[in-house]
Amino acid sequence: MKKVFISATDDLYDHIAAVIKVVHQLEGFSIVTGNANNTVAHISGIEVGDVRECDVLVSILAYTTHTLMVEEYEEATQLKIPRLFYVVYPDYNWPGMIIETDTSTQSQVQNLEDRGIEDHTIRGFFTTPENLANQVAGGLIRLSTSDQARRQRSRRLLIYALLASILILIGAYFLQDWISNNEGGSDLPTEQMFLATDTPLPSDTLTSTPLSTDTPLPSDTLTSTPLSTDTP
């Protein structure tokens, strides 16, 4: 359950009440507000909480502000709490609105809006209570969807890392086994391993060819020619 902190001024009572009603209809969200909205909290029956204990800050800025609203935004920024900032549409009026005439407070309003612009936390400009409530609901849904996608990516990365670790361990085991088998395959020195083979050495293949006694020597083939006595 994500805890949504509403930071606004009491002159936005109808707007805050509309936001509370919509957020209560969303699954997975509860809503609280700060001490500056005690009146709204009492009438709406919501809890007065601390921004440090919340998961999302929703700041709603109209034509006036207060020091606590600035402090809540600054604290959420330091704690890296997601911030959804909504600013009243210029020149939009409603019954009971408060337009600040004090220059110091006017400066605070402008500074807070400028801070939201710098931090890229401004999500929209609102008019009616229903318009604001729909924008806040949409912002919370998108934020929740983004968180779910981020968690899924983290889980996938964790699974991939575990699988890679398992494969590395298996590969290391088989490599060690292969090295052990090759190192322990023979106790003979390298030189003896080459000699201890069935292949005969060249000397083993030498054979003597006996001389054939049937072949007559040149002297055996000589014949004598007798002298003829009848020749005069």
PDB file of all heavy atoms in Angstrom, residues 205-226:
ATOM      1  N   THR A 205      63.034 -52.855 -38.376  1.00  0.00           N
ATOM      2  CA  THR A 205      62.530 -53.182 -39.711  1.00  0.00           C
ATOM      3  C   THR A 205      63.638 -53.625 -40.651  1.00  0.00           C
ATOM      4  O   THR A 205      63.376 -54.018 -41.773  1.00  0.00           O
ATOM      5  CB  THR A 205      61.816 -51.951 -40.307  1.00  0.00           C
ATOM      6  OG1 THR A 205      62.761 -50.892 -40.415  1.00  0.00           O
ATOM      7  CG2 THR A 205      60.673 -51.507 -39.419  1.00  0.00           C
ATOM      8  N   LEU A 206      64.890 -53.531 -40.200  1.00  0.00           N
ATOM      9  CA  LEU A 206      65.996 -53.942 -41.069  1.00  0.00           C
ATOM     10  C   LEU A 206      66.032 -55.465 -41.181  1.00  0.00           C
ATOM     11  O   LEU A 206      65.937 -56.181 -40.187  1.00  0.00           O
ATOM     12  CB  LEU A 206      67.325 -53.439 -40.510  1.00  0.00           C
ATOM     13  CG  LEU A 206      67.498 -51.913 -40.498  1.00  0.00           C
ATOM     14  CD1 LEU A 206      68.821 -51.568 -39.830  1.00  0.00           C
ATOM     15  CD2 LEU A 206      67.458 -51.364 -41.926  1.00  0.00           C
ATOM     16  N   THR A 207      66.191 -55.989 -42.380  1.00  0.00           N
ATOM     17  CA  THR A 207      66.304 -57.440 -42.613  1.00  0.00           C
ATOM     18  C   THR A 207      67.520 -57.704 -43.503  1.00  0.00           C
ATOM     19  O   THR A 207      67.917 -56.850 -44.308  1.00  0.00           O
ATOM     20  CB  THR A 207      65.034 -57.996 -43.286  1.00  0.00           C
ATOM     21  OG1 THR A 207      64.835 -57.306 -44.524  1.00  0.00           O
ATOM     22  CG2 THR A 207      63.816 -57.823 -42.398  1.00  0.00           C
ATOM     23  N   SER A 208      68.101 -58.857 -43.345  1.00  0.00           N
ATOM     24  CA  SER A 208      69.258 -59.238 -44.175  1.00  0.00           C
ATOM     25  C   SER A 208      68.779 -60.064 -45.344  1.00  0.00           C
ATOM     26  O   SER A 208      67.932 -60.931 -45.198  1.00  0.00           O
ATOM     27  CB  SER A 208      70.274 -60.054 -43.361  1.00  0.00           C
ATOM     28  OG  SER A 208      69.659 -61.204 -42.832  1.00  0.00           O
ATOM     29  N   THR A 209      69.311 -59.760 -46.491  1.00  0.00           N
ATOM     30  CA  THR A 209      68.932 -60.509 -47.691  1.00  0.00           C
ATOM     31  C   THR A 209      70.025 -61.520 -47.989  1.00  0.00           C
ATOM     32  O   THR A 209      71.159 -61.135 -48.359  1.00  0.00           O
ATOM     33  CB  THR A 209      68.759 -59.565 -48.895  1.00  0.00           C
ATOM     34  OG1 THR A 209      67.799 -58.578 -48.545  1.00  0.00           O
ATOM     35  CG2 THR A 209      68.310 -60.326 -50.140  1.00  0.00           C
ATOM     36  N   PRO A 210      69.796 -62.815 -47.778  1.00  0.00           N
ATOM     37  CA  PRO A 210      70.848 -63.825 -48.003  1.00  0.00           C
ATOM     38  C   PRO A 210      71.204 -63.933 -49.482  1.00  0.00           C
ATOM     39  O   PRO A 210      70.350 -63.699 -50.338  1.00  0.00           O
ATOM     40  CB  PRO A 210      70.212 -65.102 -47.466  1.00  0.00           C
ATOM     41  CG  PRO A 210      68.744 -64.875 -47.604  1.00  0.00           C
ATOM     42  CD  PRO A 210      68.528 -63.420 -47.379  1.00  0.00           C
ATOM     43  N   LEU A 211      72.457 -64.212 -49.685  1.00  0.00           N
ATOM     44  CA  LEU A 211      72.906 -64.423 -51.061  1.00  0.00           C
ATOM     45  C   LEU A 211      72.389 -65.764 -51.555  1.00  0.00           C
ATOM     46  O   LEU A 211      72.417 -66.777 -50.853  1.00  0.00           O
ATOM     47  CB  LEU A 211      74.430 -64.406 -51.130  1.00  0.00           C
ATOM     48  CG  LEU A 211      75.081 -63.052 -50.832  1.00  0.00           C
ATOM     49  CD1 LEU A 211      76.591 -63.224 -50.773  1.00  0.00           C
ATOM     50  CD2 LEU A 211      74.686 -62.045 -51.889  1.00  0.00           C
ATOM     51  N   SER A 212      71.903 -65.782 -52.774  1.00  0.00           N
ATOM     52  CA  SER A 212      71.398 -67.029 -53.342  1.00  0.00           C
ATOM     53  C   SER A 212      72.564 -67.899 -53.811  1.00  0.00           C
ATOM     54  O   SER A 212      73.439 -67.428 -54.553  1.00  0.00           O
ATOM     55  CB  SER A 212      70.465 -66.736 -54.522  1.00  0.00           C
ATOM     56  OG  SER A 212      70.068 -67.933 -55.133  1.00  0.00           O
ATOM     57  N   THR A 213      72.591 -69.107 -53.347  1.00  0.00           N
ATOM     58  CA  THR A 213      73.668 -70.035 -53.745  1.00  0.00           C
ATOM     59  C   THR A 213      73.426 -70.638 -55.112  1.00  0.00           C
ATOM     60  O   THR A 213      74.288 -71.288 -55.687  1.00  0.00           O
ATOM     61  CB  THR A 213      73.783 -71.156 -52.705  1.00  0.00           C
ATOM     62  OG1 THR A 213      72.506 -71.799 -52.572  1.00  0.00           O
ATOM     63  CG2 THR A 213      74.205 -70.601 -51.360  1.00  0.00           C
ATOM     64  N   ASP A 214      72.218 -70.462 -55.625  1.00  0.00           N
ATOM     65  CA  ASP A 214      71.909 -71.038 -56.933  1.00  0.00           C
ATOM     66  C   ASP A 214      72.408 -70.180 -58.068  1.00  0.00           C
ATOM     67  O   ASP A 214      72.426 -70.584 -59.217  1.00  0.00           O
ATOM     68  CB  ASP A 214      70.404 -71.248 -57.082  1.00  0.00           C
ATOM     69  CG  ASP A 214      69.880 -72.243 -56.044  1.00  0.00           C
ATOM     70  OD1 ASP A 214      70.678 -73.112 -55.639  1.00  0.00           O
ATOM     71  OD2 ASP A 214      68.693 -72.123 -55.651  1.00  0.00           O
ATOM     72  N   THR A 215      72.765 -68.984 -57.770  1.00  0.00           N
ATOM     73  CA  THR A 215      73.208 -68.094 -58.841  1.00  0.00           C
ATOM     74  C   THR A 215      74.672 -68.362 -59.107  1.00  0.00           C
ATOM     75  O   THR A 215      75.492 -68.224 -58.199  1.00  0.00           O
ATOM     76  CB  THR A 215      73.011 -66.625 -58.434  1.00  0.00           C
ATOM     77  OG1 THR A 215      71.647 -66.437 -58.127  1.00  0.00           O
ATOM     78  CG2 THR A 215      73.442 -65.690 -59.541  1.00  0.00           C
ATOM     79  N   PRO A 216      75.031 -68.766 -60.296  1.00  0.00           N
ATOM     80  CA  PRO A 216      76.433 -69.131 -60.574  1.00  0.00           C
ATOM     81  C   PRO A 216      77.304 -67.909 -60.564  1.00  0.00           C
ATOM     82  O   PRO A 216      76.876 -66.825 -60.961  1.00  0.00           O
ATOM     83  CB  PRO A 216      76.374 -69.777 -61.954  1.00  0.00           C
ATOM     84  CG  PRO A 216      75.175 -69.170 -62.592  1.00  0.00           C
ATOM     85  CD  PRO A 216      74.182 -68.974 -61.499  1.00  0.00           C
ATOM     86  N   LEU A 217      78.437 -68.046 -60.013  1.00  0.00           N
ATOM     87  CA  LEU A 217      79.420 -66.980 -60.042  1.00  0.00           C
ATOM     88  C   LEU A 217      79.968 -66.860 -61.457  1.00  0.00           C
ATOM     89  O   LEU A 217      79.876 -67.781 -62.264  1.00  0.00           O
ATOM     90  CB  LEU A 217      80.559 -67.309 -59.080  1.00  0.00           C
ATOM     91  CG  LEU A 217      80.177 -67.316 -57.593  1.00  0.00           C
ATOM     92  CD1 LEU A 217      81.364 -67.796 -56.780  1.00  0.00           C
ATOM     93  CD2 LEU A 217      79.708 -65.941 -57.167  1.00  0.00           C
ATOM     94  N   PRO A 218      80.565 -65.783 -61.795  1.00  0.00           N
ATOM     95  CA  PRO A 218      81.087 -65.618 -63.161  1.00  0.00           C
ATOM     96  C   PRO A 218      82.091 -66.683 -63.530  1.00  0.00           C
ATOM     97  O   PRO A 218      82.167 -67.111 -64.687  1.00  0.00           O
ATOM     98  CB  PRO A 218      81.724 -64.236 -63.095  1.00  0.00           C
ATOM     99  CG  PRO A 218      80.928 -63.529 -62.052  1.00  0.00           C
ATOM    100  CD  PRO A 218      80.595 -64.571 -61.052  1.00  0.00           C
ATOM    101  N   SER A 219      82.866 -67.140 -62.538  1.00  0.00           N
ATOM    102  CA  SER A 219      83.876 -68.137 -62.837  1.00  0.00           C
ATOM    103  C   SER A 219      83.277 -69.471 -63.239  1.00  0.00           C
ATOM    104  O   SER A 219      83.873 -70.262 -63.947  1.00  0.00           O
ATOM    105  CB  SER A 219      84.800 -68.332 -61.627  1.00  0.00           C
ATOM    106  OG  SER A 219      84.030 -68.725 -60.505  1.00  0.00           O
ATOM    107  N   ASP A 220      82.065 -69.778 -62.735  1.00  0.00           N
ATOM    108  CA  ASP A 220      81.419 -71.048 -63.045  1.00  0.00           C
ATOM    109  C   ASP A 220      80.950 -71.115 -64.482  1.00  0.00           C
ATOM    110  O   ASP A 220      80.678 -72.167 -65.028  1.00  0.00           O
ATOM    111  CB  ASP A 220      80.230 -71.295 -62.111  1.00  0.00           C
ATOM    112  CG  ASP A 220      80.690 -71.416 -60.652  1.00  0.00           C
ATOM    113  OD1 ASP A 220      81.850 -71.772 -60.440  1.00  0.00           O
ATOM    114  OD2 ASP A 220      79.864 -71.123 -59.736  1.00  0.00           O
ATOM    115  N   THR A 221      80.774 -69.923 -65.111  1.00  0.00           N
ATOM    116  CA  THR A 221      80.233 -69.908 -66.477  1.00  0.00           C
ATOM    117  C   THR A 221      81.327 -69.971 -67.545  1.00  0.00           C
ATOM    118  O   THR A 221      81.046 -70.033 -68.734  1.00  0.00           O
ATOM    119  CB  THR A 221      79.395 -68.647 -66.695  1.00  0.00           C
ATOM    120  OG1 THR A 221      80.213 -67.504 -66.478  1.00  0.00           O
ATOM    121  CG2 THR A 221      78.212 -68.607 -65.720  1.00  0.00           C
ATOM    122  N   LEU A 222      82.604 -69.921 -67.146  1.00  0.00           N
ATOM    123  CA  LEU A 222      83.706 -69.968 -68.137  1.00  0.00           C
ATOM    124  C   LEU A 222      83.872 -71.399 -68.685  1.00  0.00           C
ATOM    125  O   LEU A 222      83.803 -72.361 -67.940  1.00  0.00           O
ATOM    126  CB  LEU A 222      85.021 -69.509 -67.468  1.00  0.00           C
ATOM    127  CG  LEU A 222      85.075 -68.050 -67.023  1.00  0.00           C
ATOM    128  CD1 LEU A 222      86.389 -67.794 -66.301  1.00  0.00           C
ATOM    129  CD2 LEU A 222      84.937 -67.144 -68.228  1.00  0.00           C
ATOM    130  N   THR A 223      84.070 -71.541 -70.010  1.00  0.00           N
ATOM    131  CA  THR A 223      84.319 -72.861 -70.640  1.00  0.00           C
ATOM    132  C   THR A 223      85.640 -72.806 -71.391  1.00  0.00           C
ATOM    133  O   THR A 223      86.042 -71.729 -71.854  1.00  0.00           O
ATOM    134  CB  THR A 223      83.198 -73.222 -71.614  1.00  0.00           C
ATOM    135  OG1 THR A 223      83.093 -72.208 -72.617  1.00  0.00           O
ATOM    136  CG2 THR A 223      81.865 -73.385 -70.883  1.00  0.00           C
ATOM    137  N   SER A 224      86.277 -73.893 -71.500  1.00  0.00           N
ATOM    138  CA  SER A 224      87.573 -73.968 -72.220  1.00  0.00           C
ATOM    139  C   SER A 224      87.339 -74.478 -73.634  1.00  0.00           C
ATOM    140  O   SER A 224      86.543 -75.395 -73.866  1.00  0.00           O
ATOM    141  CB  SER A 224      88.524 -74.934 -71.471  1.00  0.00           C
ATOM    142  OG  SER A 224      87.945 -76.190 -71.376  1.00  0.00           O
ATOM    143  N   THR A 225      87.999 -73.900 -74.573  1.00  0.00           N
ATOM    144  CA  THR A 225      87.871 -74.314 -75.982  1.00  0.00           C
ATOM    145  C   THR A 225      89.105 -75.089 -76.340  1.00  0.00           C
ATOM    146  O   THR A 225      90.218 -74.517 -76.374  1.00  0.00           O
ATOM    147  CB  THR A 225      87.711 -73.079 -76.909  1.00  0.00           C
ATOM    148  OG1 THR A 225      86.570 -72.305 -76.437  1.00  0.00           O
ATOM    149  CG2 THR A 225      87.555 -73.488 -78.366  1.00  0.00           C
ATOM    150  N   PRO A 226      88.969 -76.413 -76.626  1.00  0.00           N
ATOM    151  CA  PRO A 226      90.166 -77.228 -76.936  1.00  0.00           C
ATOM    152  C   PRO A 226      90.790 -76.856 -78.286  1.00  0.00           C
ATOM    153  O   PRO A 226      90.082 -76.417 -79.186  1.00  0.00           O
ATOM    154  CB  PRO A 226      89.601 -78.630 -76.935  1.00  0.00           C
ATOM    155  CG  PRO A 226      88.153 -78.466 -77.282  1.00  0.00           C
ATOM    156  CD  PRO A 226      87.744 -77.219 -76.701  1.00  0.00           C
TER     157      PRO A 226
END
